[in-house]
Amino acid sequence: GVLLYATCSLERPENEDVVEALLDRREDLAPFADAKGRWQRFWLPGESDGDGFFAARLMKKNQED
């Protein structure tokens, strides 16, 4: 499956730190990059509507047991 973590924040503790902690705890999850190699993205004020957004896309690794 795919997990999208998104916030309406530009703060590292609410974004990258949360994703890094999740990846440290969950060995069954991995970054899931798009065609441009991006798996985390910020939308900054002035680039799009809103005050700023963050999203990270993760995927569940295949389990072969």
Side-chain angles (χ1 to χ4, degrees), residues 22-60:
L22 180 62
L23 289 171
D24 285 345
R25 286 188 212 123
R26 295 283 306 265
E27 294 181 9
D28 62 328
L29 294 176
F32 183 35
D34 65 12
K36 294 181 180 181
R38 299 175 301 184
W39 64 276
Q40 294 185 79
R41 184 167 173 208
F42 285 97
W43 289 265
L44 301 175
E47 292 178 354
S48 59
D49 292 338
D51 294 330
F53 304 93
F54 169 84
R57 194 167 71 157
L58 307 173
M59 67 178 195
K60 188 158 184 160

Side-chain angles (χ1 to χ4, degrees), residues 15-26:
N15 298 319
E16 298 105 305
D17 290 352
V18 171
V19 174
E20 288 171 14
L22 180 62
L23 289 171
D24 285 345
R25 286 188 212 123
R26 295 283 306 265

